[in-house]
Structures are given as structure tokens and as C-alpha cells.
């Protein structure tokens, strides 16, 4: 495919029929241009792999500064402005199992709670009653969410804001010295307050007030921390890991005007990341950059094998993958096209005559699989057996 054709495809790229009326579009009309593709991709992600017990939920941001009514501002993110996504990932690998594109009031959720609670319940809807352990940050964690998830046989722990409803008044007003722990328990929920550099509130349906020794990464010293804090540090980074690895090889263009094309490129990059995670889980030992290069080479080979996408002989980078493999047979040049009774032999054209010019020899035969003209003997055999031409 040449550059002009690629540019035309990208220019007119869309994911919804222009003939569809607004009544036939999904309930979230803001995502009508990309919502169906996003839903299809999430179904593929979920059917491909079942995550391990430890999962985490966090928000991600697709940088976008164009005109968009539901563009979000997150000061803690590098892009700050863009399209916000709620994502559920496996804590260990960063496998993106589910995500929601947040469009404000029109966002589709499964439950009727506050935004933070219903986003979690929507993401984890297919994993309820299966014994998963969820890690969340202070935006999502609340006593209400913990009680709901207990009924769904799902454990949760994470950081908590001090102004959440349902907290004991004493835990808000009491001051805890550095290294000390103050804890309250209600049923299965253990609410813990611990001070390191500043006070931290952490509810958990899985932990108690037990302490563990954690070695510092920067220095060789060790420190006593509550077990819930140590586990939170180890399991909360699923979404951040995926975002970090995706940022190394950005697919989305910075100056993309159409928001749905920006989202499409980001989802395409997520699909490549998912493929890499599955590859690693099946024993693959490549780095991500090597995996991406192999994927590109494989896509080029598949495209080159399709006669409808080829024009002329193969480039050097594709020859060894296609012309030296498979079944090839000589055939007459198709004479249905006017003024086409023969083709230039690509092997003879590599030879140089006495005057230092390339030899041009016409042949009535060709290889339809490779889409090149070739003399029957010996050029046909040379072209399909010798790698260095």
C-alpha cells in the first residue's frame, strides 16, 4: 500500500454507517462514532484471558485538546486534558480486561450509585462472585463500596479519603504518631489509620492489623509497615504499568483533530499491548520493541500474500518471507487487459550487459502468486530458490 492510499483510508476512516439514524444509535449518543468498536474490543479482551485473583481499577487519560464537550481535566496526569477511561487491569501483568469511556452524564453504567462506586461495579460486573481481590485508590474506595463487594464475594482494599460517609468520628479526629496504627472493625471490614510521612486511611476486607518488614528499594534499610500497605504498593500498579508501557510506543498522533480517531489509535495500541502480555504469559522471551517489529513484519507478509493488495514485485524486505515459501507455478500472462501480452522478467532485469546497462527481457509467463514476470527457465527456479538476488 502506498502512502497516498493509506492517507485516503485514514482520512475517511469511520466506524458507524452514515445512514444510521439517531434512534438506531446506542443509548450513549456521545460515543456513537466509536462505541461499537470499543465494546467489540472489550469483549475480545475478556474472552481471550481470565485474570488472576489480584486486580486493580484506576483511571487513564487519552490526551486530547480539541473541541469536545466531555473532555476531562486530570491535573495528576501528564496530558492533563483528554478523554477519561476507567480501566480494570490485572495487577501483575497490566492486562487490560475491561474499560469504560467516561462521557459525563451520558455514560452507561450497570448500577445506580455514585460515579466512583458504579464505575467499579460496572467494570467488575463479569467478575463478581468469583473470589477476586480488588485494589483501588482513594477516588473509588468507600465503606459503601466495601459492603457491596462483600455481598458479591469480592475482597477490596485501598486508600480512603477522610471525608467519606460512614467513617467513625474518632478515626477522623485522632492523631496517630509515626509508626503507630489505629484500627476499627465492622464485620469483615477493617479500617486502619497509619502514619508514615502523613496519615493514611486504608479499609480492607482481607487484612488485619498485622505488620510486615519491607526492605527499601533505594537503601538497604528495612521498615515495618502494615500488611495492607505493603500489598497495596505491590498490586495497585496494574493500570499504571499498562499506561507506562503504552507510552513508550505511542500510536495516537498529537495533532489528531477527530476524537474518535484518537480513541481508535489508542485502542489499537492497547490491542498490541494485550497481544504482547499474552505472548509473555505463553513463554515468550522477546522485549516489547522486538515483539512489535515481529508483528509488523508478520502483517506485511500477510498483506503481501494477498494478490488484491499487491502492485508489482515484492520489496526486498518481504521477498524471503513469501517468494521462498509456498507453492508457485508458472502461468501465461493474462491477455484480457489491452496491450499486455508479456511482462518484464525480474531476474533478467538484474543482469548487466557489456555496456553496463540492465538487461530488459520480456516473458509471456508470470508467477501469479508473486505477481511478477519470469522466464520459465531458469529464472522461475532462481527467483523462488535463491534468497540473495
Amino acid at each position: 500500500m502506498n502512502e497516498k492510499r493509506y492517507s485516503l483510508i485514514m482520512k475517511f476512516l469511520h466506524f458507524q454507517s452514515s445512514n444510521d439514524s439517531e434512534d438506531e444509535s446506542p443509548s450513549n449518543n456521545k460515543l456513537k462514532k466509536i462505541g461499537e468498536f470499543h465494546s467489540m474490543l472489550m469483549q475480545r479482551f475478556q474472552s481471550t484471558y481470565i485474570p488472576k485473583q489480584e486486580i486493580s481499577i484506576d483511571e487513564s487519560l487519552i490526551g486530547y485538546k480539541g473541541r469536545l464537550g466531555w473532555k476531562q481535566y486530570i491535573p495528576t496526569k501528564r496530558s492533563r486534558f483528554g478523554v477519561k477511561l476507567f480501566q480494570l487491569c490485572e495487577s501483575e501483568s497490566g492486562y487490560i480486561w475491561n474499560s469504560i469511556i467516561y462521557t459525563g452524564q451520558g455514560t452507561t453504567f450497570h448500577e445506580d450509585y455514585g460515579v466512583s462506586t458504579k464505575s467499579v461495579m460496572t467494570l467488575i460486573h463479569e467478575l463478581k462472585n468469583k473470589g477476586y481481590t480488588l485494589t483501588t485508590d482513594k477516588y473509588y474506595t468507600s465503606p459503601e463500596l466495601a459492603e457491596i463487594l462483600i455481598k458479591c464475594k469480592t475482597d477490596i482494599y485501598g486508600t480512603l479519603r477522610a471525608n467519606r460517609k460512614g467513617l467513625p468520628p474518632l478515626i477522623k479526629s485522632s492523631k496517630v504518631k509515626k509508626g503507630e496504627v489505629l484500627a476499627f472493625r465492622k464485620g469483615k471490614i477493617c479500617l486502619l489509620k497509619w502514619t508514615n510521612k502523613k496519615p493514611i486511611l486504608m479499609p480492607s476486607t482481607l487484612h488485619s492489623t498485622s505488620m510486615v518488614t519491607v526492605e527499601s528499594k533505594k537503601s538497604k534499610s528495612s521498615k515495618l509497615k502494615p500488611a495492607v500497605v505493603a500489598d497495596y504498593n505491590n498490586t495497585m500498579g496494574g493500570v499504571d504499568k499498562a499506561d507506562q508501557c503504552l507510552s513508550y510506543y505511542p500510536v495516537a498522533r498529537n495533532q489528531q483533530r477527530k476524537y474518535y480517531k484518537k480513541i481508535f489509535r489508542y485502542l489499537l495500541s492497547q490491542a498490541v499491548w494485550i497481544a504482547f502480555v499474552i505472548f509473555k504469559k505463553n513463554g515468550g522471551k522477546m522485549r516489547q520493541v522486538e515483539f512489535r517489529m515481529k508483528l509488523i513484519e508478520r502483517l506485511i507478509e500477510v498483506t503481501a500474500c494477498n494478490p488484491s493488495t499487491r502492485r508489482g514485485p515484492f520489496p526486498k524486505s518481504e521477498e524471503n518471507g513469501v517468494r521462498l515459501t509456498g507453492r508457485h507455478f508458472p502461468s501465461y500472462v493474462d491477455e484480457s487487459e489491452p496491450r499486455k501480452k508479456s511482462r518484464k522478467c525480474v531476474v533478467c532485469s538484474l543482469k548487466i550487459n557489456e555496456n553496463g546497462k540492465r538487461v530488459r527481457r520480456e516473458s509471456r509467463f508470470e508467477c501469479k502468486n508473486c505477481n511478477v514476470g519470469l522466464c520459465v527457465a531458469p529464472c522461475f527456479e532462481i527467483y523462488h530458490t535463491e534468497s540473495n538476488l
Side-chain angles (χ1 to χ4, degrees):
M1 182 187 300
N2 57 32
E3 182 181 357
K4 185 177 180 180
R5 178 173 172 80
Y6 173 79
S7 300
L8 283 173
I9 291 175
M10 293 305 299
K11 181 179 180 180
F12 298 105
L13 181 68
H14 64 285
F15 308 94
Q16 184 201 27
S17 175
S18 302
N19 298 324
D20 292 346
S21 62
E22 294 186 0
D23 297 335
E24 297 175 353
S25 61
S27 57
N28 189 354
N29 204 35
K30 297 177 182 178
L31 284 178
K32 64 180 181 180
K33 293 187 176 182
I34 194 65
E36 187 175 350
F37 176 77
H38 173 258
S39 300
M40 180 271 294
L41 201 62
M42 290 304 108
Q43 291 176 3
R44 292 292 181 90
F45 289 176
Q46 294 172 19
S47 62
T48 302
Y49 176 72
I50 299 175
K52 294 182 179 179
Q53 183 181 10
E54 298 288 345
I55 55 177
S56 61
I57 289 178
D58 203 353
E59 65 266 7
S60 183
L61 191 71
I62 306 173
Y64 183 75
K65 293 186 178 180
R67 292 187 177 183
L68 190 63
W70 36 278
K71 180 173 60 179
Q72 300 293 312
Y73 171 69
I74 304 179
T76 57
K77 299 293 183 181
R78 183 178 180 182
S79 300
R80 294 188 298 163
F81 295 94
V83 179
K84 181 178 177 180
L85 291 89
F86 298 114
Q87 293 192 151
L88 184 149
C89 293
E90 185 185 60
S91 298
E92 179 185 353
S93 63
Y95 185 96
I96 303 169
W97 198 81
N98 198 3
S99 68
I100 301 170
I101 301 176
Y102 183 66
T103 59
Q105 293 183 353
T107 310
T108 304
F109 294 108
H110 290 169
E111 307 287 346
D112 189 15
Y113 300 103
V115 175
S116 60
T117 301
K118 63 186 178 183
S119 61
V120 172
M121 298 306 298
T122 303
L123 288 170
I124 206 172
H125 182 72
E126 300 296 331
L127 299 178
K128 292 191 296 186
N129 301 312
K130 295 183 180 179
Y132 278 90
T133 301
L134 176 64
T135 310
T136 56
D137 63 7
K138 60 184 179 181
Y139 177 79
Y140 306 93
T141 314
S142 66
E144 177 192 28
L145 178 61
E147 292 176 356
I148 295 171
L149 290 178
I150 288 173
K151 297 177 182 178
C152 299
K153 298 180 181 179
T154 303
D155 289 311
I156 181 175
Y157 59 90
T159 54
L160 179 69
R161 290 175 178 171
N163 59 355
R164 290 286 190 182
K165 294 181 180 179
L167 297 182
L170 182 60
I171 204 165
K172 297 181 181 180
S173 59
S174 60
K175 294 183 179 180
V176 180
K177 295 181 180 180
K178 185 175 181 179
E180 293 183 351
V181 175
L182 176 65
F184 292 83
R185 179 173 286 276
K186 179 184 177 182
K188 195 179 178 182
I189 304 173
C190 177
L191 180 59
L192 180 143
K193 186 174 185 179
W194 176 70
T195 302
N196 185 16
K197 293 182 179 179
K198 59 182 181 180
I200 300 173
L201 285 174
M202 298 194 74
S204 174
T205 61
L206 189 66
H207 300 84
S208 62
T209 57
S210 59
M211 307 290 285
V212 294
T213 303
V214 179
E215 294 184 359
S216 176
K217 294 181 180 179
K218 296 182 180 180
S219 60
K220 296 182 180 180
S221 61
S222 58
K223 184 183 294 185
L224 274 177
K225 292 184 179 181
V228 61
V229 175
D231 289 343
Y232 175 84
N233 293 335
N234 293 330
T235 59
M236 186 54 205
V239 177
D240 292 336
K241 181 177 181 179
D243 288 344
Q244 181 182 3
C245 293
L246 288 173
S247 66
Y248 296 151
Y249 312 99
V251 176
R253 295 174 57 189
N254 292 331
Q255 302 299 327
Q256 183 68 63
R257 294 184 178 181
K258 303 293 184 181
Y259 75 91
Y260 59 90
K261 291 184 181 180
K262 188 94 171 187
I263 297 174
F264 165 72
R265 287 176 178 269
Y266 185 80
L267 294 176
L268 188 65
S269 182
Q270 281 190 348
V272 177
W273 165 248
I274 292 298
F276 175 68
V277 173
I278 295 296
F279 171 76
K280 295 289 285 185
K281 286 184 174 292
N282 288 327
K285 297 182 180 180
M286 290 184 188
R287 295 180 300 162
Q288 187 180 178
V289 61
E290 296 171 348
F291 176 82
R292 286 176 176 264
M293 293 303 297
K294 284 290 183 181
L295 177 62
I296 293 170
E297 292 174 5
R298 179 57 183 158
L299 290 174
I300 291 174
E301 288 182 11
V302 172
T303 306
C305 289
N306 185 0
S308 63
T309 61
R310 292 201 309 269
R311 294 180 182 271
F314 294 113
K316 288 289 184 182
S317 60
E318 302 170 22
E319 286 183 353
N320 293 340
V322 179
R323 69 179 176 86
L324 301 179
T325 59
R327 297 166 63 87
H328 303 270
F329 300 97
S331 59
Y332 285 104
V333 175
D334 187 8
E335 298 183 0
S336 60
E337 298 183 16
R339 298 181 181 180
K340 187 178 179 182
K341 296 182 180 180
S342 62
R343 297 186 64 176
K344 182 180 69 172
C345 176
V346 295
V347 176
C348 293
S349 63
L350 298 176
K351 301 176 182 178
I352 299 176
N353 59 17
E354 298 176 354
N355 299 326
K357 297 182 179 180
R358 290 188 178 275
V359 176
R360 179 180 178 87
R361 181 173 296 174
E362 297 288 328
S363 174
R364 296 180 59 193
F365 297 90
E366 66 178 354
C367 177
K368 289 188 175 180
N369 193 27
C370 299
N371 194 22
V372 293
L374 292 166
C375 299
V376 175
C379 298
F380 195 91
E381 180 181 356
I382 293 173
Y383 184 79
H384 293 105
T385 55
E386 296 185 10
S387 58
N388 297 322
L389 290 180

